[in-house]
Amino acid sequence: MFEFDLFELTRATVTTLVGLTAVLASLGVILCSSPIYCALYLIGHMICLALLFLLYNAEFIAAVQIIVYAGAVMILFLFIIALLGGKKEIQEPSTERSLAIAFVATMLGELFLSATVGPTRPIEGTFDVQTVAEVGGSAKAIGLELFSRHVVAFELASVLLLVAAVGIICLSKFSYVPVRRRMK
Amino acid sequence: MIDDVIDFFEPYTYLIIGSVKAFVIAGALLGIVPALVWLERRLMGRFQVRLGPNRVGPFGLGQPISDSIKLLFKESIIQSSADKFLFHLAPAIVVFTAIVTFAVIPFGEPVKVFGQEIGLWVANVNIGLLFVFAISGMGVYGMVLAGLSSNNKYSLMGGLRSSAQMISYELTLGLAALSIVVLTGSLSLIDMVNSQDSYPNILIQPLAFLLFFIAGIAETNRAPFDLPEAEQELVAGFHTEYTGMKFAMFFMGEYINMVTMSALVTLLFLGGWNSYGVPAWPIVAFSGKVLFLLCVFIWLRSTYPRIRYDRLMTFGWKVLVPISLLNLLVTSVLVVL
C-alpha cells in the first residue's frame, strides 16, 4: 500500500532544505547592508554547515563546528560590531560594485556548468559509516587518525596556533611605539 | 485499514517514541520553572529570616501561577528605537537553546514499557558532552542580541559583559569536564554514569568538581556571578527594556540552564542515577541529587555578594583556567601511568 521509504525521503528533503538555507544565508552575508545582520547570516550559515555534517553522521565535526565557529569566533564578531556601533552602510552604485556582481555571476555560471557536466563524486577516505561505528563514534575515529598518521602535522599546527596566540598578546599588551624607538 | 496503518508505522516506532519523549521533557522543563521560582523565593526568605511568599494558597504555592498570569497579560512594550526582529528573536534563542541542551541529558536506566525498551533521555548521542557545550554556547547569542537590539547603553553593557563572562568561564567548564572525559574515555554521558557505578567521580576529582561548579554558576549567570544584570550599575542589564512574557522568557532560560547545569554536575561528578546502596529508584536518586544542587545554587545566591567585574575576569583567567589546565595535565598523566 505504501511503497516509498519515508526515512530516506525525509532525509533527502531535509538535506536539500538545509543546503539551500546555507546558500541563502551566505548570500545574505554579502548582500545585507547592516553589519549585525551580516554577522547573524554568517552564524546561520555556520549552523547550516553543522547540520549538514550531522546529516552525514559526522557528529563530532558538527559539534566542533558549532563550538568553535558559531560559539566562539562569531561571538567576537558580534562583540566588535557592538563596540564599534553597527551602522548601516549606504549602498550606492559604483564600478567596484558592478565588478563584484559580475564576478559572482561568473562563479555561479561556472557552478551551474560543472553541475551539468557530471555528478560530484565523494572523496575516498579510510573511514565510512561502518568503520566509524566499529571504532565507536566519530570522535574516536578522528582521534585515531589524527594521532597516528598525522601526529607531526597536528603538533606543528598546535605550535603555530600557540605562536599566533603569544603574538596577539604581545601586539595588544605592548604598544608599538617603544619598540620602534628601541630599533632606532 | 487499522492493521495497514499499524504496519506502516511499525518501523517508525522509535520516531514516535522519540517525539513523545521530546514533548514530555520540554513540557516538564517549562513546568519546572514556576516551581523553581517558588522554591527560590521560599528558600531565600528562610535564608534571610523572613517568610517569603505565603499569601496565595498553602505555603504560597499559588504565587507562581498568579505571577505567570500577570506576566502573560502584561502589555508588551517595545521602544521605537529598538530593532524589532532581533528584539523578539533574543528571548526565543535563550529559551530554545536552554531546552535543546537538555535533550542529551539522561536521567535513568532504560525502562521497559509494553515490551519496548525506552531510554530515559531524548537522544543518546555519543558526543553527549560536546553537544551540551555546543548548544549552551549558542545561548550567549540571546543575551548579546538582546543587548544590541534594545538600543540602550545599559542593555549593551549587560550583553557585552555576559558574552565576555560566558566565553571566559566556558573554558574552565570544558577543561574541568575534560578531566572526566579522560578518566572515562568517552564523551557519552551514559558511559560516564556507568563508569561511576562503584564510587562517584567527586571522590577522585574533587578539584575538577569545584572548578566545574564555580564555572557552572558563572555560565548560568547566577549570583555571585550575575554581573550581566548587576542592578547597581546596569539597571537590569541586557533585559532592561523587556516587559511581560519576553522578560519572563529570559528567566525561563536561566532556570532551565540551572537545572541542566545541576544535572550535568550530577552526571559527571555525583554518579548520576547510581544510589550507592541507598534503596531508591534510579530516577529518584538522580532527581534528589539535582534538587540538592539547585538548593545549593539558591543558597550561594543568598550567601555571597556580587563580585566586581574586573575581579571576575581576573579570577576566571588567572586562577581558574591555570588550575583546570594543571588538573587536566595531572589527571592525564595519572591515567596514562
Side-chain angles (χ1 to χ4, degrees), chain A residues 114-121:
Chain A
S114 66
T116 53
V117 167
T120 49
R121 278 168 308 179

Side-chain angles (χ1 to χ4, degrees), chain B residues 235-254:
Chain B
V235 189
F238 57 86
H239 54 67
T240 307
E241 299 287 355
Y242 282 86
T243 49
M245 207 52 209
K246 282 203 279 296
F247 168 76
M249 276 165 89
F250 282 113
F251 281 90
M252 274 155 73
E254 183 182 319

Side-chain angles (χ1 to χ4, degrees), chain A residues 35-36 73-86, chain B residues 144 148 156 160 163:
Chain A
I36 296 176
V73 175
M74 289 315 296
I75 270 288
L76 293 180
F77 270 58
L78 268 187
F79 213 90
I80 289 163
I81 291 170
L83 282 177
L84 297 180
Chain B
V144 179
L148 267 173
L156 185 63
L160 287 181
S163 57

Side-chain angles (χ1 to χ4, degrees), chain B residues 11 17 36 57-58 63 93 130 140 179 201 205 217 221 224 236 279-280 294:
Chain B
I17 292 174
L36 260 181
Q63 191 66 42
I93 292 180
L130 277 184
V140 191
S179 53
N201 275 337
Q205 287 282 340
I217 298 166
N221 284 332
L294 286 171

Side-chain angles (χ1 to χ4, degrees), chain A residues 6 37 59 70 74-75 79, chain B residues 4 12 83 86 126 141 163 167:
Chain A
L6 189 66
Y37 279 91
E59 298 134 347
M74 289 315 296
I75 270 288
F79 213 90
Chain B
D4 269 347
Y12 308 116
D83 188 322
L86 295 184
N126 58 14
Y141 284 114
S163 57
I167 289 175

Side-chain angles (χ1 to χ4, degrees), chain B residues 284-307:
Chain B
V284 175
F286 179 81
S287 338
K289 289 171 190 173
V290 171
L291 188 66
F292 171 73
L293 285 172
L294 286 171
C295 293
V296 174
F297 265 94
I298 296 164
W299 182 18
L300 285 174
R301 180 181 163 189
S302 50
T303 309
Y304 288 108
R306 186 177 296 130
I307 65 173

